[in-house]
Amino acid sequence: MNEALEPVALRAMLESMLLIRAYEEKAAAMQASGQAAGTCTSVGQEAAAVGVVAALGADDLILTNHRSAGHLLARGADPARLYAEVLGKSTGYCKGKSGSLHISAKELGVVLTSTIVGAELSLAAGVGLAASMQERDSVVACFFGDGAACEGSFHESLNLAAVWKLPILYVCENNQWQAFVHRRETMPMDQVSTWAAAHGMPVATVDGNDVEAVYRAAREGIAHIRATGEPYFLETYTYRQRGHYEPDDQGYVDKAELAAWLARDPIDRLQQNKQFSVVEIQTIQKRVAERIEAAWATAVAAPYPTHADLTADVYA
Amino acid sequence: MQNLTINDAIGQAIAEEMRRDPSVMMFGEGVATKRHELLNEFGARRIRNTPLAEGIIAGAAVGASTMGMRPVIDLLFAPFMTLAMDELVNSAGKLRYMSGGQFRFPLVAMAMTGTGWTVGAQHNHNLEAWFVHSPGLKVVMPSTAADFKGLMKSAIRDDNPVLFFIEMAMAYETGEVPEGEHLVPLGKAAVRRAGNDLTLISYGKSMRACETAASQLAEKGVFAEVIDLRSLKPLDEDAILASARKTGRVVVVHEANRMCGVGAEIAAILAEKAFDSLKAPVLRITSPDVPAPSSYPLELAFAPQADAIVAAAESLLAPTAMTSRPVLTANAG
């Protein structure tokens, strides 16, 4: 499993990570300049999202949370439709009914996004149950953080998935922060996988800032799920570089810790990979920047929902 | 017609729907243990026991329903639904709207409630109005064995999340139930007894107190119309308004606590839309603002009884009803 990835695959991962970074930084800048509401960015966690999503197949499903842009963009979401959602425009994936916090895109297999921390774990059990009942080959990837792991739904979900043998890839993005509280204040150990192992499923903790390592670990977990139909737990050990939401001055963050993690930035690390020339990286960065600017402009120009939309889509 | 317990009427409805639609399944606490006839017929994949963990039971139903299954879940006792509120209210009730209509949640969540078994306030809490107050959900609370079957079948076929409340004191009582295809639509009240003098509106077990009261009133020459709401959401406004416009006097009766209960909503609807027809204030006979007691005499004092309904009705028919609003005791509101 340790063979080098194809250059083309790595290049695609780099571009995906750069797109996520540029998307989030633009969103934060637009908040700072008063042109958009606040968002919860995933800056610093791009490798964790891209590595896992790259290992998923077309029929696999994703559940995510309030820090979802990375998962959506890695899955191929149109940044213009994501920005439209941030701005409450009718062209968003959720017709402007979500805002930035709970974007689902069923057409991409990103379902039931909830911002209630821990809900994704509860709902993933049902999505996995349906896949199992319908004898589909789908793996259900459920992204959540170390904060959600402290919710009761974490244990309820892992227990049910283990007992009912549900095809769920639990992906804990351990980003060290639970809103404004450091993980070390809320958990007795450093790794969430310790808890997961107690539920009787195979677990792995991987350097979440190394996209190749994340990809390989996810592929291994997915292979296990496809072979057995049973759940697998993958922890991507990473760091939330920005605040809980925008704006957040991060006055509560230990500067030395932040600096140490910035030195391990997942995008810098991948760019240092000798496979990429400076020109190549600049070309990708330029393409990404143009795409983000165009996406923002498209979203700004898009229409708002009409008053008639206020009462639409409550009941089926 | 067949004579079935309400519990068996529910079981028959689920069995018929499971035969008809392979996406229907059922899980919950002791489901496979207690409903062994369903387990025998449909097997352990479709009829499942679960851990005693209401949140994940409801979460599994929400997630499975949006991916094409039609789960029926048994959460046993209504107060335990507080442990599934995120899944039921924030997910099942909201994620269709918040996703711009991408998802639907055809699930049924059952729970028992009500006085009669002296189980106390952590097994008996008529919290149905909580869900009525939450967008995206439907709520039913039948009172006859036939309706339990017919509403369960309709709830399973509905593409929205339906909260299905069962009076535990009635679960093992028998009643006539139509065989085979018997569907009662959600959102339609039933007029159980016609009358011109006043209207009694109720649901669940309190329907009985209303029918007893109506019989007693009839012996005195007062003819009450008795409406069984059956569905609390959608609420059958047309049936409520039609009867109120006919009789001009309305008493709403339910076992749930008084403040912000379904009775408050009905009184508000009548004030807004039938004010000109009202000959007297709308009265509510409800439980007082206390947790459900356990001791049987206290249960009787807590729940609406026929004598209080008769007294309320007579007060509305008194010549001074509009000017001298009756003050009713806890039992009587």
Side-chain angles (χ1 to χ4, degrees):
Chain A
M1 297 293 279
N2 282 327
E3 79 280 11
L5 292 179
E6 293 292 322
V8 62
L10 261 190
R11 196 179 301 114
M13 288 188 200
L14 175 62
E15 180 151 356
S16 187
M17 289 165 68
L18 283 167
L19 183 71
I20 296 165
R21 178 70 57 95
Y23 172 91
E24 298 284 40
E25 288 182 340
K26 177 79 179 178
M30 292 299 96
Q31 189 284 322
S33 64
Q35 297 175 68
T39 60
C40 295
T41 79
S42 59
V43 171
Q45 302 174 212
E46 294 88 351
V50 168
V52 173
V53 173
L56 294 172
D59 294 332
D60 295 334
L61 296 160
I62 292 172
L63 284 92
T64 175
N65 51 64
H66 55 288
R67 217 172 287 289
S68 64
H71 312 128
L72 285 153
L73 289 165
R75 191 65 172 175
D78 176 356
R81 293 186 66 192
L82 296 180
Y83 281 145
E85 205 53 59
V86 171
L87 294 171
K89 300 296 186 76
S90 63
T91 54
Y93 280 102
C94 305
K95 303 180 188 169
K97 296 275 190 70
S98 160
S100 73
L101 286 174
H102 357 66
I103 302 176
S104 296
K106 194 177 179 186
E107 64 200 77
L108 303 172
V110 181
V111 299
L112 302 181
T113 307
S114 173
T115 190
I116 304 289
V117 173
E120 66 278 47
L121 286 150
S122 195
L123 301 174
V127 177
L129 174 62
S132 167
M133 292 297 295
Q134 295 159 351
E135 295 177 351
R136 284 187 278 112
D137 195 28
S138 299
V139 166
V140 178
C142 176
F143 289 94
F144 60 99
D146 45 298
C150 292
E151 294 272 6
S153 58
F154 170 82
H155 296 284
E156 293 188 25
S157 181
L158 267 64
N159 181 49
L160 195 71
V163 170
W164 281 2
K165 304 186 191 317
L166 303 178
I168 302 175
L169 177 67
Y170 289 101
V171 186
C172 180
E173 294 174 319
N174 185 341
N175 70 4
Q176 317 300 321
W177 286 100
Q178 306 182 356
F180 305 104
V181 178
H182 197 281
R183 175 195 48 71
R184 76 171 80 83
E185 286 188 60
T186 67
M187 296 171 56
M189 68 288 184
D190 291 330
Q191 297 186 358
V192 176
S193 57
T194 315
W195 277 339
H199 286 287
M201 65 182 69
V203 304
T205 296
V206 65
D207 178 350
N209 285 14
D210 178 344
V211 72
E212 288 184 80
V214 172
Y215 172 75
R216 288 202 178 87
R219 208 170 52 170
E220 201 165 316
I222 290 165
H224 172 86
I225 295 168
R226 292 208 205 282
T228 64
E230 299 186 23
Y232 188 93
F233 187 91
L234 174 63
E235 178 175 20
T236 55
Y237 209 72
T238 182
Y239 198 78
R240 191 190 78 198
Q241 291 184 7
R242 296 186 69 95
H244 173 46
Y245 51 57
E246 304 296 328
D248 179 350
D249 67 7
Q250 293 180 280
Y252 52 90
V253 173
D254 181 274
K255 288 186 175 55
E257 182 186 78
L258 178 59
W261 278 96
L262 288 173
R264 305 179 57 223
D265 181 83
I267 294 178
D268 289 347
R269 281 167 71 182
L270 184 55
Q271 285 178 337
Q272 283 154 16
N273 186 313
K274 293 186 185 63
Q275 292 184 41
F276 302 120
S277 69
V278 173
V279 173
E280 202 171 8
I281 290 171
Q282 285 172 344
T283 305
I284 295 172
Q285 284 174 334
K286 183 166 180 291
R287 190 161 59 222
V288 162
E290 287 169 359
R291 198 172 163 205
I292 288 299
E293 288 309 314
W296 180 259
T298 301
V300 167
Y304 283 107
T306 65
H307 284 191
D309 295 319
L310 176 65
T311 52
D313 293 327
V314 180
Y315 289 95
Chain B
M1 281 292 181
Q2 49 185 339
N3 224 35
L4 292 179
T5 66
I6 279 169
N7 192 51
D8 287 343
I10 293 167
Q12 185 175 81
I14 295 168
E16 288 179 9
E17 293 306 300
M18 288 186 73
R19 278 176 214 128
R20 188 180 158 266
D21 180 349
S23 69
V24 180
M25 66 182 300
M26 185 178 189
F27 50 91
E29 297 161 355
V31 160
T33 309
K34 291 184 302 176
R35 295 199 179 273
H36 47 82
E37 73 289 353
L38 292 178
L39 178 66
N40 290 341
E41 180 173 352
F42 300 105
R45 274 173 63 77
R46 292 178 72 189
I47 300 292
R48 299 184 183 214
N49 281 332
T50 62
L52 293 170
E54 292 75 16
I56 197 64
I57 296 169
V62 175
S65 67
T66 206
M67 298 309 296
M69 302 303 294
R70 287 185 178 270
V72 178
I73 57 172
D74 191 347
L75 297 168
L76 288 187
F77 295 97
F80 289 77
M81 295 173 110
T82 55
L83 294 171
M85 288 306 268
D86 175 51
E87 289 80 0
L88 295 172
V89 175
N90 285 322
S91 295
K94 298 178 186 172
L95 284 181
R96 175 175 179 77
Y97 185 81
M98 295 174 71
S99 68
Q102 294 180 67
F103 309 113
R104 60 195 180 114
F105 302 101
L107 67 90
V108 181
M110 295 165 44
M112 292 193 292
T113 188
T115 55
W117 284 9
T118 68
V119 291
Q122 292 185 343
H123 283 73
N124 166 24
H125 186 169
N126 284 50
L127 39 68
E128 57 274 6
W130 296 11
F131 298 101
V132 173
H133 198 62
S134 297
L137 304 175
K138 296 187 176 183
V139 183
V140 301
M141 195 155 172
S143 76
T144 71
D147 278 359
F148 272 98
K149 175 176 176 179
L151 279 165
M152 177 55 82
K153 285 171 71 80
S154 294
I156 291 171
R157 294 186 196 185
D158 199 275
D159 281 340
N160 298 285
V162 180
L163 284 298
F164 194 98
F165 288 101
I166 302 159
E167 292 274 7
M168 68 183 90
M170 296 169 65
Y172 297 98
E173 294 184 356
T174 56
E176 288 196 336
V177 178
E179 295 186 43
E181 192 78 342
H182 167 61
L183 293 166
V184 174
L186 302 182
K188 285 284 173 213
V191 179
R192 298 296 184 199
R193 176 194 281 255
N196 288 320
D197 295 331
L198 80 156
T199 303
L200 304 178
I201 300 175
S202 188
Y203 60 90
K205 183 163 89 270
S206 297
M207 273 301 300
R208 277 188 203 165
C210 288
E211 295 196 48
T212 303
S215 296
Q216 292 173 6
L217 287 165
E219 287 169 14
K220 300 179 183 185
V222 173
F223 297 97
E225 184 142 296
V226 181
I227 294 181
D228 182 353
L229 293 172
R230 307 193 286 192
S231 291
L232 306 180
K233 194 176 194 178
L235 191 60
D236 191 347
E237 263 193 39
D238 291 345
I240 293 166
L241 290 170
S243 186
R245 286 179 180 135
K246 182 171 76 169
T247 67
R249 296 178 176 89
V250 178
V251 181
V252 192
V253 184
H254 58 62
E255 196 167 310
N257 302 107
R258 182 177 184 83
M259 188 175 238
C260 295
V262 169
E265 179 63 27
I266 291 172
I269 289 169
L270 292 172
E272 286 173 343
K273 300 186 180 175
F275 189 75
D276 290 349
S277 304
L278 294 179
K279 299 171 188 160
V282 177
L283 296 185
R284 288 174 289 163
I285 311 282
T286 68
S287 63
D289 187 24
V290 301
S294 174
S295 169
Y296 188 63
L298 292 182
E299 277 199 333
L300 290 177
F302 176 86
Q305 307 295 336
D307 53 355
I309 300 168
V310 169
E314 289 177 336
S315 77
L316 291 186
L317 289 156
T320 55
M322 278 305 273
T323 50
S324 167
R325 191 188 175 100
V327 177
L328 301 169
T329 60
N331 181 9

